[in-house]
């Protein structure tokens, strides 16, 4: 059964811009879908990205998914922050993990112009099937195998691109929404979700428990100071709350608002907006950042290499807590290493005004 396919990428930037891109995609491939049976057991979950569960593979999944594809689904699901079994289910539903001999899977395109194991329309990939990652392009072309080229037919590249697309559209929390945008048909969403459940040992599609504190303790305990620990405790406690432009709590926040409020919770006053926070902190070289530092991104209208429009707070190396945008899902811990628009890092606690505030707090405690 073939149907027309549409991708709609909708995001509201932190600086208040609304971006709408409607992209017509390829027909879906109806592969043989296994009749998954419940395993009767519960798979182990581990803490990842501040609470994202990592599910074990079911016997059915291990038997059906090629080993190299399984490794890629798990690798890029973890790196980008989406459920690996959802990625795998998309790969199954689209091309039977690249095993299909239909047009466009291994070369060329199908009649709608889609290609590769995850069936990207060439125009959404970057304008051509193979594109140098050093070039400027608009699309989901990705370099998963590190050869400098985004190749829509390469499983590593295609699976990484699909993970980014799902993440952009609401996964892992709003995974059904993300799947509906991937292919605008609820029957497709139901089929992919059913396949994903069969691939996980738990027999389910796990959603990150954003309010679960079980993964917070190690982050707070590893904080470089008691002050940073207080900042982290507040910021992590806001997970699951919605993004709100201009929000400073207590029910919703924007990107700089949650940081402003977290520092206030520790008794410190810093600038309210991203534009004020960027020049406020002492610049830190990438790789030297630590919990409590801020990471800035070139995102939003009127921003640039030295005028970032989005900010997150580092909670551990490679991870940040952020309020990203209205349609990006609730406040959560994400990976900043996967972003390609990082402007830089700062340490507000080294600002002279903050150092003076810290002295007053210490004196008041004596």
């Amino acid at each position: 059964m073939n149907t027309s396919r549409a991708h709609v990428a909708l995001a509201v930037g932190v600086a208040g811009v609304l971006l709408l891109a409607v992209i017509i995609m390829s027909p879906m491939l109806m592969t043989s879908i296994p009749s998954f049976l419940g395993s009767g057991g519960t798979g182990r979950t581990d803490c990842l990205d501040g609470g994202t569960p990592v599910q074990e593979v079911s016997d059915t999944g291990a038997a059906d998914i090629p080993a190299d594809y399984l490794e890629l689904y798990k690798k890029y699901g973890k790196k980008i922050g989406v459920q690996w079994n959802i990625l795998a289910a998309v790969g199954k539903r689209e091309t039977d993990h690249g095993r299909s001999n239909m047009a466009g899977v291994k070369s060329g395109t199908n009649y709608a112009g889609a290609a590769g194991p995850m069936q990207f329309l060439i125009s959404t990939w970057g304008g051509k099937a193979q594109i140098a990652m050093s070039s400027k392009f608009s699309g989901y072309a990705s370099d998963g195998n590190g050869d400098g080229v985004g190749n829509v037919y390469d499983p590593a590249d295609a699976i990484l691109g699909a993970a980014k697309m799902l993440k952009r559209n609401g996964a892992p929390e709003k995974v059904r929404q993300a799947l509906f945008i991937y292919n605008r048909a609820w029957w497709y969403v139901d089929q992919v979700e059913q396949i994903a459940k069969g691939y996980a040992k738990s027999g389910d599609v796990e959603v990150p428990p954003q309010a679960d504190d079980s993964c917070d303790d190690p982050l707070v305990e590893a904080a470089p100071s008691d002050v940073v620990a207080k900042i982290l405790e507040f910021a992590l406690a806001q997970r699951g709350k919605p993004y709100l432009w201009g929000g400073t709590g207590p029910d919703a926040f924007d990107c700089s608002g949650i940081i402003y409020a977290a520092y206030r919770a520790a008794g410190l006053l810093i600038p309210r907006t991203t534009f004020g926070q960027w020049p406020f902190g002492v610049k830190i070289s990438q790789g030297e950042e630590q919990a409590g530092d801020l990471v800035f991104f070139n995102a939003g209208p009127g921003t640039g290499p030295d005028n970032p429009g989005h900010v997150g707070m580092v909670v551990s190396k490679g991870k940040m807590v952020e309020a990203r945008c209205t349609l990006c899902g609730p406040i959560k811990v994400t990976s900043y290493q996967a972003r390609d628009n990082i402007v830089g890092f700062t340490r507000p606690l080294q600002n002279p005004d903050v150092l003076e505030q810290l002295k007053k707090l210490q004196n008041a405690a004596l």
Side-chain angles (χ1 to χ4, degrees):
M1 178 185 300
N2 291 327
T3 67
S4 61
R5 178 179 179 185
H7 280 309
V8 179
L10 179 60
V12 179
V14 295
V17 66
L18 179 66
L19 173 65
L20 177 63
V22 180
I23 308 165
I24 304 302
M25 292 296 286
S26 71
M28 305 302 302
L29 169 67
M30 184 61 170
T31 59
S32 56
I33 301 175
S35 55
F36 294 115
L37 301 176
S39 62
T42 300
R44 177 180 59 83
T45 60
D46 297 314
C47 290
L48 171 70
D49 287 353
T52 305
V54 181
Q55 297 177 291
E56 288 185 346
V57 185
S58 67
D59 292 342
T60 302
D64 187 55
I65 306 170
D68 55 342
Y69 271 71
L70 178 58
E71 181 180 355
L72 292 170
Y73 293 135
K74 296 178 75 173
K75 176 181 179 180
Y76 292 119
K78 178 179 180 180
K79 179 177 180 179
I80 302 303
V82 302
Q83 297 94 332
W84 73 263
N85 53 325
I86 286 290
L87 270 178
V90 170
K92 174 67 176 181
R93 183 61 182 77
E94 295 286 359
T95 67
D96 194 20
H97 309 300
R99 291 178 292 215
S100 170
N101 291 318
M102 290 182 66
V105 177
K106 299 178 176 66
S107 64
T109 64
N110 64 12
Y111 75 88
M118 303 303 278
Q119 290 291 277
F120 278 93
L121 191 69
I122 295 301
S123 62
T124 70
W125 184 252
K128 51 186 178 180
Q130 299 183 48
I131 184 168
M133 299 306 295
S134 59
S135 62
K136 292 183 179 181
F137 65 93
S138 176
Y140 287 98
S142 303
D143 181 15
N145 62 7
D147 64 358
V149 175
N151 184 347
V152 75
Y153 305 109
D154 184 275
D157 296 355
I159 291 170
L160 176 56
K164 290 179 179 179
M165 180 177 283
L166 291 169
K167 180 73 171 182
R168 177 68 177 270
N169 291 311
E173 296 86 5
K174 297 181 179 180
V175 68
R176 286 182 62 83
Q177 168 188 291
L179 289 170
F180 183 78
I181 294 172
Y182 202 93
N183 177 8
R184 297 184 67 82
W186 286 114
W187 58 261
Y188 171 85
V189 174
D190 292 340
Q191 286 183 0
V192 169
E193 194 170 42
Q194 185 63 28
I195 297 170
K197 289 178 179 180
Y199 280 163
K201 190 173 182 180
S202 66
D204 201 359
V205 176
E206 298 286 354
V207 176
Q210 296 297 328
D212 183 7
D213 294 335
S214 62
C215 297
D216 294 351
D217 290 344
L219 295 175
V220 175
E221 290 171 1
S225 69
D226 290 340
V227 172
V228 174
K230 291 180 180 179
I231 293 170
L232 291 184
E233 284 179 338
F234 180 92
L236 291 169
Q238 310 315 307
R239 288 180 301 165
K241 293 182 179 180
Y243 173 93
L244 175 66
W245 170 248
T248 56
D251 300 321
F253 300 83
D254 66 9
C255 66
S256 56
I258 186 175
I259 293 168
Y260 173 78
Y263 272 76
R264 282 288 298 270
L268 302 173
L269 183 63
I270 66 171
R272 159 66 185 90
T273 68
T274 303
F275 300 114
Q277 291 172 1
W278 168 241
F280 183 79
V282 173
K283 300 296 188 297
I284 302 297
S285 298
Q286 186 163 1
E288 299 299 321
E289 70 273 11
Q290 61 186 27
D293 291 345
L294 307 185
V295 52
F296 293 84
F297 302 87
N298 182 6
T303 67
D306 197 40
N307 192 37
H310 181 56
V311 61
M313 181 192 296
V314 177
V315 296
S316 65
K317 194 61 66 71
K319 307 295 181 185
M320 65 179 172
V321 61
E322 68 168 339
R324 190 169 185 181
C325 71
T326 304
L327 297 183
C328 296
I331 294 168
K332 54 183 170 288
V333 173
T334 62
S335 170
Y336 58 79
Q337 291 180 326
R339 310 281 180 87
D340 58 5
N341 58 342
I342 294 177
V343 172
F345 298 81
T346 71
R347 186 165 296 161
L349 291 176
Q350 290 299 313
N351 178 278
D353 289 345
V354 174
L355 291 174
E356 187 63 30
Q357 293 176 50
L358 287 169
K359 287 182 181 179
K360 292 180 180 179
L361 289 174
Q362 290 171 353
N363 291 335
L366 296 177

